């Protein structure tokens, strides 16, 4: 098991998945990577979040696009946290994706790109996508901590 040179109790990860302290990217590189991943997952997740499977009865549905988008944010956040070796590296991905979702939902009057209306299926998918992106990033940060 490879041990990190980072002192115990710091905000950086240690343990089996930790890299040598000298091999972590700089803070600027970590920020650029996290923001880029947040923008990418925000755009791609917004494209897919409204994909919904309706049951044959039409009374219930599965917003599979939102679920796929949330898993994508989780994976990107987990990778960013483990790669940067910081506790904020993964959460920043979710924050950037959430801000982008907010811009898509409220940036322009009458915008229907991300509809946040819990009374219709597409609106429920939008709400799940918006808040699920933040939740996925927080869960990824916890998982990254437990892996280290």
């Amino acid at each position: 098991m490879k041990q990190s040179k980072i002192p115990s109790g710091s905000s950086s990860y240690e343990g089996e998945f930790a890299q040598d302290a000298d091999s972590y990217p700089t803070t600027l590189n970590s920020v650029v990577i996290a923001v880029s991943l947040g923008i990418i997952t925000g755009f791609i997740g917004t494209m897919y979040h409204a994909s919904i499977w309706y049951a044959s009865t039409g009374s219930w549905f599965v917003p599979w696009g939102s679920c796929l988008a949330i898993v994508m944010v989780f994976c990107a956040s987990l990778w960013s946290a483990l790669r940067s070796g910081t506790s904020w590296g993964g959460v920043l991905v979710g924050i950037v994706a959430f801000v982008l979702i907010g811009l898509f939902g409220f940036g322009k009057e009458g915008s229907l790109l991300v509809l946040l209306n819990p009374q219709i299926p597409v609106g429920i998918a939008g709400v799940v996508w918006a808040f699920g992106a933040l939740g996925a990033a927080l869960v990824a940060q916890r998982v990254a901590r437990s892996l280290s």
Side-chain angles (χ1 to χ4, degrees):
M1 178 158 73
K2 190 190 292 187
Q3 288 295 322
S4 171
K5 296 178 185 174
I6 299 170
S8 176
S10 69
S11 65
S12 297
Y13 299 120
E14 299 175 359
E16 182 178 350
F17 293 97
Q19 305 166 359
D20 289 332
D22 297 335
S23 67
Y24 284 121
T26 64
T27 301
L28 179 62
N29 286 342
S30 297
V31 169
V32 169
I33 288 168
V35 169
S36 299
L37 284 172
I39 290 171
I40 290 167
T41 56
F43 270 104
I44 294 173
T46 298
M47 289 189 301
Y48 284 110
H49 86 278
S51 298
I52 299 171
W53 176 75
Y54 293 94
S56 59
T57 62
S59 61
W60 66 278
F61 57 92
V62 177
W64 66 267
S66 290
C67 296
L68 178 69
I70 290 168
V71 168
M72 185 174 51
V73 170
F74 172 80
C75 292
S77 296
L78 181 61
W79 183 85
S80 179
L82 291 174
R83 178 66 186 120
S84 67
T86 62
S87 57
W88 54 264
V91 177
L92 186 58
V93 174
I95 291 171
V96 170
F98 183 75
V99 168
L100 192 61
I101 294 164
L103 288 174
F104 286 151
F106 300 110
K108 179 180 160 190
E109 177 104 17
S111 172
L112 297 177
L113 197 53
V114 177
L115 185 61
L116 301 169
N117 180 357
Q119 298 176 349
I120 57 175
V122 172
I124 292 172
V127 171
V128 168
W129 166 223
F131 294 109
L134 274 181
L138 293 174
V139 170
Q141 190 254 353
R142 293 288 184 178
V143 170
R145 276 208 179 278
S146 70
L147 288 175
S148 56

